[in-house]
Amino acid sequence: MRRVVITGGAGFLGSHLCDHFLRQGLSVVVLDNLATGTMDNIAHLLGHPLFSFRRYDVTEYLYVEGEVDAVLHFASPASPLDYAQLPIETLKVGTLGTHKALGLAKAKRARFLLASTSEVYGDPDVHPQPETYWGNVNPVGPRSIYDEAKRAAEAFVMAYQRHHGLDTRIVRIFNTYGPRMRKHDGRAVPAFVTQALAGEPITVFGDGSQTRSLCYVDDLVDGIERLLMSDYRMPVNIGNPNEITMLQLAELVRELCGSDSEIVFEPLPADDPRRRRPLITLAQKVLRWAPTVPLEEGLARTIAWWREGHVFTAPDVMPSPTGSGPGSPVPGVGVDLS
């Protein structure tokens, strides 16, 4: 591979993928409307000879000049707060955006990788969750805008694979954390860390018994690359199978931050999954992948990043009702796609 397109490349995960591929000498094209991404995430890449950025609404007609070897579709609000504030945009990028990104891959005869999610399993009745589990999703609940958008995206991918013969991959991403998460994006790790560092009360929802399985971002990126380069064409879970309760996580973050913040409890949001843990047998077998960064080490790296004074609290721009339009440049930023 020589050249990849990453939709949503200015987001948390997308920007780490940019770093990874550039270190390997690949040319990287980022398309992002900055609805939830931020230029801060990719500012260090501007001017890199193999990197180009264009502000682009991927739900519109999608065009990139020149040859493309892979399209990685990561554009989407990805936290409960984001997709609650941007419900229509979330549905559109999961459906129309996936359709347009698949069309680009088809036109370029490129490999396509969809960033799907453990949210396709909903509030699971099967634990841990294997790729064969069809999920327990409330189609009219407050989280359905994200859950169903990703389930529809997977259906689009499989239709293009079966009908057009497109070379596709689907990664089901479980909870991931690390540097470049936004302070107020509604997810536990940035909330707990920033509250603990500021000496503020640490907010835990419900009684804190609900579980998540947290994967450090470097491990996730490694798994995604392995899937992209593999020959496996069905969904694969990528996540850390070590499960922890939210109360345990809050206590661990408080300890690692050296904080004396009290832990306070708020009502549990509707349809919040009770437990979440990936079965990664398939990834171990097919990709020879397993996470290597222990939770304490990953949290220490993340806390160190926050201590450096990063304050990514809001996106650079919110989309207009009609979107930013294809190809809209960010002032002062090069947008060459050649």
Side-chain angles (χ1 to χ4, degrees):
M1 277 193 188
R2 294 170 296 177
R3 190 167 187 246
V4 300
V5 171
I6 303 176
T7 72
F12 164 51
L13 296 181
S15 64
H16 283 280
L17 282 169
C18 291
D19 289 341
H20 184 77
F21 287 128
L22 287 170
R23 282 195 296 268
Q24 295 186 351
L26 277 68
S27 178
V28 175
V29 179
V30 164
L31 308 177
D32 200 309
N33 71 348
L34 303 180
T36 57
T38 168
M39 293 302 298
D40 290 322
N41 285 339
I42 55 173
H44 63 290
L45 302 177
L46 300 179
H48 191 293
L50 295 177
F51 178 81
S52 57
F53 169 83
R54 184 176 288 254
R55 181 176 161 191
Y56 213 111
D57 183 347
V58 299
T59 67
E60 306 286 347
Y61 172 72
L62 194 52
Y63 174 73
V64 172
E65 299 171 358
E67 295 184 1
V68 173
D69 298 300
V71 176
L72 291 82
H73 185 39
F74 277 74
S76 178
S79 76
L81 181 61
D82 286 339
Y83 50 75
Q85 293 179 339
L86 300 168
I88 307 304
E89 291 86 350
T90 301
L91 286 165
K92 287 178 66 176
V93 77
T95 53
L96 298 176
T98 303
H99 180 235
K100 298 298 188 294
L102 283 162
L104 175 63
K106 179 174 176 285
K108 299 294 184 178
R109 298 183 179 179
R111 183 168 295 181
F112 182 90
L113 184 143
L114 172 69
S116 187
T117 171
S118 61
E119 292 289 338
V120 300
Y121 300 123
D123 188 6
D125 293 323
V126 174
H127 193 73
Q129 295 80 60
E131 290 86 352
T132 53
Y133 177 52
W134 292 357
N136 177 36
V137 174
N138 177 2
V140 295
R143 299 174 75 99
S144 67
I145 48 182
Y146 184 66
D147 301 358
E148 297 291 19
K150 289 296 189 179
R151 287 161 70 93
E154 289 195 11
F156 264 115
V157 170
M158 295 309 299
Y160 265 72
Q161 181 189 121
R162 291 168 179 144
H163 186 69
H164 293 300
L166 193 66
D167 190 16
T168 64
R169 310 287 184 272
I170 297 174
V171 54
R172 289 180 179 163
I173 298 170
F174 280 68
N175 296 83
T176 307
Y177 70 99
R180 300 182 193 158
M181 300 186 84
R182 289 185 289 113
K183 180 178 180 180
H184 297 301
D185 80 350
R187 285 179 277 196
V189 169
F192 291 172
V193 169
T194 55
Q195 289 169 343
L197 289 177
E200 301 171 351
I202 298 175
T203 304
V204 173
F205 292 101
D207 62 4
S209 63
Q210 67 273 30
T211 69
R212 297 294 183 268
S213 302
L214 302 172
C215 185
Y216 189 65
V217 64
D218 289 358
D219 281 334
L220 181 83
V221 167
D222 176 50
I224 290 170
E225 185 197 25
R226 287 172 185 251
L227 177 59
L228 178 67
M229 300 304 183
S230 77
D231 295 324
Y232 194 76
R233 293 157 64 95
M234 296 295 288
V236 178
N237 291 337
I238 298 293
N240 194 317
N242 294 324
E243 196 172 2
I244 187 172
T245 71
M246 290 298 94
L247 181 56
Q248 289 172 329
L249 178 63
E251 292 170 341
L252 178 58
V253 166
R254 181 173 61 179
E255 176 185 346
L256 292 173
C257 289
S259 171
D260 58 1
S261 294
E262 66 172 325
I263 296 176
V264 298
F265 297 88
E266 296 287 344
L268 192 67
D271 291 341
D272 192 69
R274 296 160 294 169
R275 52 191 182 174
R276 188 63 60 73
R277 177 187 171 195
L279 189 67
I280 63 168
T281 306
L282 183 61
Q284 291 171 318
K285 178 182 178 181
V286 174
L287 309 180
R288 301 185 183 277
W289 177 88
T292 62
V293 180
L295 180 60
E296 291 81 359
E297 180 181 336
L299 286 174
R301 295 181 194 177
T302 306
I303 291 166
W305 182 82
W306 280 105
R307 286 190 189 279
E308 293 171 2
H310 298 282
V311 288
F312 298 176
T313 58
D316 295 74
V317 63
M318 297 298 288
S320 67
T322 56
S324 63
S328 303
V330 173
V333 175
V335 296
D336 176 42
L337 287 178
S338 60

